[in-house]
Amino acid sequence: MNFFTTLVTFENLHEVRRLCHWGPVIALTVIAVCTSMAIIDSIIWYWPLDTTGGSVNFIMLINWSVLILYNYFNAMFVGPGYIPLGWKPEKVEDTKYLQFCRMCQGYKAPRSHHCRKCNRCVMKMDHHCPWINNCCGHQNHAYFTSFLLLAPLGCSHAAFIFIMTMYTQLYERISFGWSTVKIDMSAVRRFQPIMPFSVPAFAATLFALGLALGTTIAVGMLFVIQMKVILRNKTSIEAWIEEKAKDRIQYYQTGEEFIFPYDLGRRWDNFRQVFTWSGSPVGDGIQWTIHAKCHQHTLTIEQLKQKADKRVRSQIQYGVVEDYNGACCPLSKGLNTFFRTPCTEEPRIGLRRGETILATRGTKWWMYGDKVLDEEQTKAGVRLRGWFPRQCVEKCHYDTAVNSAVTNETSSENKKVN
C-alpha cells in the first residue's frame, strides 16, 4: 500500500532513480532469473493444470515472487525516514546532549546518524544497503527484514523445483560407465510436448540453481544477523556503540554501568517495536520507548563520551609524503595496494605532499581518515574524509605537551557531559 502511494505521488517520483544503481540492478536480475526459470521448470516438471499438487506448487511460487518484490520495493521507496533539516529539540537545554550535524545544519535526534550516501540524518539508522540503494532505518526496517526472510524461502522453493526438474528429466537419459557419462538431451517425454528440456534449458536451470542456493545462504545469514539486533531492539550501529561503551568503561576503570536504553527486556516487546499489524513501526523516529533506568539521551551522552575519547585514542596525525589522485585501485602504488583495496563504497580522498591527515582506522595497505583543512573550510562545514594508501603518509611525532593538553581537554569534556 505504501509502495504504490509513493510511486503515484508526484513529489516522490525522483525516488525511482534509486533503481539506476548496480545494487538494485543485480538484485532484481537475480529475482527475475530465479522466478522465470522456476516458472518454466514448474511447467516442465509438475504441470499445474493436471494435479492439485502442481497447482499448489505454482501458486506458492507466484506468491513468493509477489511478496519478495512487495517488501523489496517498500524497503527501497518508503525509505528509512529522515530527520528534518535544521531540527532542534523542543527543550533548548537538551542540545548539550546531542551531536550537531554540519551537513544538515541541525541536531541529530536520538538513534539517528548521518548517511554520506543519502546526505541526510536517518532515523534509527541501521546501515546503508547497496542492494536497495537506500538506508535501512526506522520506517523500512520491517520491510527490509521481511525481504531478508522471504528471499531465502522463495529461493529454497525455486532450488527444489530446479533439482526435481533436472532429476526427472535426466534420470532415464543418463548412462554411467567407468570413464564416461553420456547424456542424450534429444529425447522428450511423451507427456511434455509443450516445452522440451533441451541442453540450453539444462544449462539455464543449473545456473539458476547456483543463484538460488547462493542467495539462500547469503541472504539467510543477513536475516539471522538482523533478527539478533531486532530482538534486542537495537541496530547494527547501536550494537557497535554498546560494545565500545564497555571497552571505554573498562579502559578508564570509571565504574559506570551502561544500560542500553531501548532494550525493553522481553524479546516479544522488542519485536513489536519493529513489526506491527499496521505495517508502521512504533514511535515517530525522534521519541522512543526506553528502559525504566534510562532516559531519552542515555545513548547520545555515551556517543559524546566516545567521540571525546576518540580524539585521544583513535585519531593519529599523519603527514602526506606521496601524491595520490584518489583512484579506487591505484596500480602505481604497488600490487598489494591495488589488489587489497577496501571493498566498500566509502570514498577515496586525493592527497598532495605536505597535507595532514587525521587517521581513525586502517588496514595493512590502506588507511581511513579526515584531511586537516584550513580555518575557512572548517567554518564552512567542509569535511574531506576517506581511504588512501598507507604508503603515501608517515606518522607525525607529537610534542608531549600538546598530547597532555588534548588529554586534559577531553577529560574536561567528559565531565561536562556527565
Side-chain angles (χ1 to χ4, degrees), residues 91-323:
K91 298 179 181 179
V92 179
E93 57 269 22
D94 289 343
T95 57
K96 64 181 179 181
Y97 303 127
L98 302 173
Q99 298 183 66
F100 185 80
C101 179
R102 290 179 294 180
M103 301 300 295
C104 297
Q105 289 299 302
Y107 288 91
K108 298 179 182 179
R111 311 191 79 176
S112 67
H113 301 273
H114 186 85
C115 175
R116 293 191 297 273
K117 292 293 182 182
C118 299
N119 201 30
R120 290 289 300 273
C121 286
V122 177
M123 294 178 178
K124 190 190 168 187
M125 179 178 175
D126 186 88
H127 68 288
H128 184 91
C129 178
W131 305 111
I132 62 173
N133 194 22
N134 207 340
C135 278
C136 174
H138 176 57
Q139 294 182 3
N140 66 349
H141 204 172
Y143 292 120
F144 180 77
T145 309
S146 298
F147 166 73
L148 296 183
L149 171 63
L150 293 166
L153 293 177
C155 286
S156 298
H157 185 195
F160 176 75
I161 294 174
F162 299 148
I163 292 172
M164 293 305 299
T165 302
M166 290 189 292
Y167 174 77
T168 55
Q169 294 299 308
L170 302 180
Y171 180 74
E172 296 178 356
R173 308 179 196 180
I174 302 177
S175 60
F176 294 94
W178 287 102
S179 59
T180 60
V181 177
K182 298 180 180 179
I183 302 178
D184 180 13
M185 290 291 188
S186 61
V188 179
R189 292 188 176 183
R190 299 176 183 176
F191 54 85
Q192 293 169 347
I194 299 177
M195 195 175 297
F197 194 71
S198 58
V199 173
F202 172 76
T205 300
L206 198 60
F207 175 73
L209 176 62
L211 285 180
L213 293 177
T215 302
T216 300
I217 296 172
V219 181
M221 292 175 63
L222 294 177
F223 170 74
V224 172
I225 293 172
Q226 282 297 312
M227 286 307 301
K228 283 183 177 180
V229 295
I230 287 175
L231 291 177
R232 292 179 291 173
N233 200 15
K234 299 178 182 179
T235 64
S236 301
I237 295 176
E238 290 167 352
W240 175 237
I241 292 173
E242 183 182 26
E243 184 178 340
K244 290 194 294 183
K246 296 176 181 178
D247 290 340
R248 181 187 63 81
I249 293 172
Q250 183 179 6
Y251 182 82
Y252 289 107
Q253 296 293 316
T254 60
E256 301 174 62
E257 181 188 7
F258 178 75
I259 300 175
F260 185 73
Y262 308 113
D263 189 347
L264 304 182
R266 296 176 57 203
R267 292 184 177 183
W268 177 245
D269 292 337
N270 292 333
F271 180 83
R272 290 191 300 174
Q273 294 295 306
V274 177
F275 295 93
T276 60
W277 290 111
S278 64
S280 300
V282 176
D284 59 358
I286 296 178
Q287 297 289 327
W288 304 95
T289 305
I290 57 174
H291 191 278
K293 295 183 179 180
C294 304
H295 57 84
Q296 288 290 333
H297 299 102
T298 297
L299 189 67
T300 59
I301 290 174
E302 176 58 34
Q303 288 177 261
L304 290 174
K305 291 180 180 180
Q306 292 180 12
K307 188 174 182 180
D309 181 47
K310 183 179 180 181
R311 297 192 184 103
V312 178
R313 288 208 289 164
S314 298
Q315 288 192 343
I316 303 175
Q317 190 169 345
Y318 286 81
V320 179
V321 295
E322 289 185 22
D323 292 345

Side-chain angles (χ1 to χ4, degrees), residues 29-45 58 61 65 158-159 161-162 165-166 195 197-209 211-212:
T29 300
V30 171
I31 294 173
V33 170
C34 291
T35 301
S36 58
M37 285 306 304
I39 291 174
I40 294 173
D41 283 3
S42 291
I43 296 174
I44 296 176
W45 166 56
F58 196 79
L61 180 61
S65 302
I161 294 174
F162 299 148
T165 302
M166 290 189 292
M195 195 175 297
F197 194 71
S198 58
V199 173
F202 172 76
T205 300
L206 198 60
F207 175 73
L209 176 62
L211 285 180

